[in-house]
Amino acid sequence: MEIVEKSSSYEEAVYKDGKIGEYLIRAEVEPLMISKNIQFKTPQGPLYAVRWVPKISWSKMGEKLDT
């Protein structure tokens, strides 16, 4: 099955430390692959499984994101 259109989900938080400063931390989940389960069906239609990968990035406040 091909993913035609996707959008990643993400959450961001600011981490503050007196010694190292402030950092913006971002956790993102990107869908990679979808498969249809042909053994089970729901009242709404077929059951799908989504494989995803987590991506973590951080940046010092005011700088470009590092990974």
Side-chain angles (χ1 to χ4, degrees), residues 18-58:
K19 293 181 181 177
I20 63 172
E22 292 185 35
Y23 282 81
L24 176 66
I25 300 171
R26 178 181 171 114
E28 183 177 350
V29 176
E30 179 183 356
L32 294 178
M33 181 175 47
I34 296 176
S35 61
K36 184 174 166 182
N37 188 330
I38 58 175
Q39 294 180 346
F40 298 100
K41 290 191 177 182
T42 67
Q44 295 79 22
L47 184 64
Y48 293 91
V50 178
R51 302 236 181 217
W52 49 272
V53 62
K55 295 179 177 181
I56 307 298
S57 58
W58 60 91

